[in-house]
Amino acid sequence: MTKHAPDGESWLGRVERAGNRLPDPATLFFFALLVIMALSQVAEVAGWSVTKTVAGEDGATAEMVAARGLLDSDGVWWLLAHLVENFVQFPPLGLVLVAMLGIGVAERSGLLPALIERSMNRVPGTLVTPILLLVGILSSLTLDAGYVVLPPLAAALYASLGRSPLAGIAVAFAGVSAGFSANLVITGLDPLLAGLSTAGARVLDADYQVAVTANWWFMIASTLLLPLAGWLITARWVEPRLGTRGLDRAGEVAAERSHRTDPDREGRALRAAGWALLALAVGLVLLIGWPGAPLYGTGERFARWVEAIVPILLILFLVPGIVYGAVAGAIRSDRDAAALMGRTMADMGPYIVLAFFAAQFIEAFRYSHLGEMLAIVGGDFLAGLALPPAVLTVAFVLVVLVGNLFIGSASAKYAFFAPVFVPMFMQAGISPELTQAAYRVGDSVSNVITPLNPYMVLILSLMQRYLPRGGLGTLVATMLPYSLGFLAVWLVLLSLWVIGGWALGPAGPLVYTGAG
């Protein structure tokens, strides 16, 4: 019988029980959609509107934002007309399904289980958690690929060590999502936020420019500190509370999802897959570095190889998986490979159902303008408090954290906040670079608990493979310690940084001293 760590009357236990009393997550998103439809209509009939500041080349302009109802003729028509589009264009849907075709073959052929089992002979079990957290944080270099790749591997890894696979999922999710803003190198997020900060700063100072590197030193320090904090959180709170939950299902899940063979044949298959991966890696380097090659240079927004990361992942998992399967005996024909892909897609069924309802809710919330309006109202409230600069920075982190529960997109949320807070804080002597750093903290730490994170449904679906009766309450209760712990650690780090007077990065001042 599986042993569970006793929850007693702990607040996390109460959060889990309350959350799990809610309907199935798909039903929950449907009910949430109905609530948004009703509230949006009430807001429109009441004439609710707010004014937001929009930064442009000619300075700031005021723009009216009004609630749009979803129960009148236009609202119902919009929902019906966009029902399919909302689902098909749900951001993680294509990424997840395409990447899982390759990952599924690598897993079911036996390649990934064999790699995990052998790697555990080389990595001390005590270091698995911080290493996984660090890899998760660094995965933001590849945009959202970490959400797809790391959690299922982490679940299998922890199960192979006799630890709860739910803990592995939680650690990977915390690194990828709660630590999203941090990295050792400049990522695609840096130029995006710097551009919005520049636009906000020019509301007050027409010549101000925020450098892409403005937060680099602070984010390097965050990348080194957060895995240690996450390691402590996992060891002190998460794993003791989870006990061995999900471990009794791990063997069954692994047996359903992978082919294993004798050790000698497995060794030959691993070597063959390794050579295949090496050949792919050499080819990839040439495609990225050779002038004129398909992956050389910049694409529409980022480097071409970054924009093509999902097809690259598909190939990097699929080809070694097929090679391994062919040598190990799991794949004897093209039909076997296709069958492995088919079974992978069948396992994705619960995720696809969740994604359908989540997509409708998120897009309806966006259409209604309620999320944007709530963020603006919160910002105006904070602006009216006239707090000291240090308190103002911490308060801004908390406002962003709460705002993340209503607007999931980091860029969309900052597009609302930057024209208001960046010039307001500049008048208090706080640099746009420091405002941007504070924004990154608040935006990251609540990613693991906000239902508007589009990857939340993927993590929930994965968790339910090991804990079929687990619900949204289980997931939120498991991730809350990371959210609160990362918030505390990041706020302390930010405060020490400001007290120390250290630059946030190259061209990353803490203080704004005025135009010129």
Side-chain angles (χ1 to χ4, degrees):
M1 180 180 295
T2 301
K3 297 179 180 178
H4 295 177
D7 288 334
E9 292 299 317
S10 71
W11 66 278
L12 287 175
R14 290 194 292 271
V15 167
E16 178 174 356
R17 286 190 293 276
N20 287 344
R21 290 192 188 104
L22 296 172
D24 182 86
T27 308
L28 194 61
F29 277 115
F30 174 69
F31 287 153
L33 172 62
L34 297 181
V35 170
I36 290 300
M37 293 175 69
L39 290 177
S40 65
Q41 196 62 45
V42 171
E44 183 182 35
V45 171
W48 186 34
S49 63
V50 298
T51 302
K52 72 173 181 178
T53 304
V54 180
E57 294 182 359
D58 299 325
T61 59
E63 183 177 299
M64 187 70 69
V65 181
R68 291 198 291 184
L70 280 156
L71 286 178
D72 59 15
S73 177
D74 289 342
V76 173
W77 164 245
W78 176 87
L79 188 59
L80 293 174
H82 292 81
L83 196 74
V84 175
E85 180 183 330
N86 292 344
F87 177 50
V88 173
Q89 295 185 0
F90 187 52
L93 185 64
L95 184 152
V96 169
L97 296 182
V98 171
M100 284 304 297
L101 286 172
I103 294 171
V105 170
E107 181 183 21
R108 292 176 181 278
S109 68
L111 171 59
L112 294 183
L115 278 175
I116 290 171
E117 183 178 294
R118 296 199 174 206
S119 66
M120 284 305 94
N121 295 327
R122 297 178 173 84
V123 178
T126 54
L127 295 181
V128 168
T129 296
I131 290 173
L132 184 57
L133 283 161
L134 179 61
V135 171
I137 292 171
L138 296 179
S139 72
S140 63
L141 184 63
T142 60
L143 301 182
D144 295 338
Y147 284 102
V148 184
V149 177
L150 286 180
L153 295 182
L157 179 60
Y158 272 63
S160 71
L161 294 170
R163 298 159 71 175
S164 170
L166 302 185
I169 295 170
V171 169
F173 190 31
V176 173
S177 198
F180 177 75
S181 284
N183 212 296
L184 295 176
V185 298
I186 300 297
T187 70
L189 184 65
D190 291 277
L192 188 153
L193 294 182
L196 293 171
S197 295
T198 297
R202 287 180 177 177
V203 171
L204 193 66
D205 186 341
D207 297 323
Y208 203 93
Q209 180 71 39
V210 176
V212 171
T213 58
N215 295 151
W216 197 0
W217 304 148
F218 179 69
M219 288 305 153
I220 289 175
S222 301
T223 304
L224 299 176
L225 181 61
L226 289 178
L228 299 178
W231 189 8
L232 174 63
I233 292 166
T234 304
R236 176 65 179 83
W237 289 285
V238 176
E239 285 204 81
R241 182 177 172 277
L242 287 174
T244 58
R245 273 199 278 185
L247 194 58
D248 54 346
R249 282 274 301 157
E252 183 179 342
V253 171
E256 290 173 353
R257 300 175 62 83
S258 65
H259 171 89
R260 301 305 299 271
T261 185
D262 65 86
D264 290 339
R265 193 171 187 179
E266 185 177 89
R268 293 195 302 273
L270 281 172
R271 286 191 292 273
W275 284 112
L277 181 61
L278 178 62
L280 288 172
V282 171
L284 182 61
V285 170
L286 292 176
L287 289 173
I288 293 173
W290 194 276
L295 299 180
Y296 179 80
T298 304
E300 295 179 0
R301 290 181 60 193
F302 306 109
R304 284 188 174 185
W305 74 268
V306 173
E307 294 186 354
I309 191 64
V310 176
I312 290 172
L313 283 174
L314 169 65
I315 294 168
L316 290 178
F317 280 98
L318 180 63
V319 173
I322 290 175
V323 170
Y324 177 93
V327 177
I331 299 175
R332 291 183 168 83
S333 70
D334 61 303
R335 293 185 179 182
D336 290 335
L340 294 183
M341 293 184 189
R343 290 202 290 275
T344 298
M345 289 298 101
D347 280 352
M348 296 304 295
Y351 166 72
I352 294 171
V353 172
L354 277 173
F356 174 79
F357 289 101
Q360 308 309 323
F361 164 71
I362 291 172
E363 287 304 308
F365 200 39
R366 182 197 59 78
Y367 172 87
S368 72
H369 291 162
L370 293 181
E372 178 180 355
M373 295 169 73
L374 288 169
I376 293 170
V377 169
D380 290 344
F381 173 75
L382 180 59
L385 294 179
L387 299 171
V391 179
L392 204 58
T393 303
V394 173
F396 179 56
V397 171
L398 299 179
V399 167
V400 174
L401 186 155
V402 174
N404 200 30
L405 303 177
F406 300 101
I407 305 174
S409 168
S411 57
K413 191 161 56 268
Y414 199 46
F416 301 142
F417 284 149
V420 176
F421 287 104
V422 169
M424 181 184 75
F425 285 8
M426 288 168 71
Q427 294 180 68
I430 298 173
S431 72
E433 293 80 2
L434 178 54
T435 303
Q436 179 178 290
Y439 173 82
R440 296 174 78 153
V441 172
D443 179 64
S444 291
V445 296
S446 56
N447 278 337
V448 291
I449 57 172
T450 173
L452 291 185
N453 181 345
Y455 291 97
M456 181 73 84
V457 292
L458 173 65
I459 302 301
L460 182 59
S461 176
L462 175 62
M463 182 197 74
Q464 289 175 333
R465 291 183 193 168
Y466 296 93
L467 195 67
R469 291 177 175 249
L472 194 58
T474 304
L475 180 56
V476 171
T478 302
M479 300 312 302
L480 261 176
Y482 293 106
S483 186
L484 297 175
F486 279 23
L487 173 64
V489 168
W490 236 333
L491 283 178
V492 170
L493 179 63
L494 186 62
S495 300
L496 291 175
W497 212 278
V498 173
I499 292 170
W502 306 317
L504 293 160
L510 293 169
V511 178
Y512 175 71
T513 56

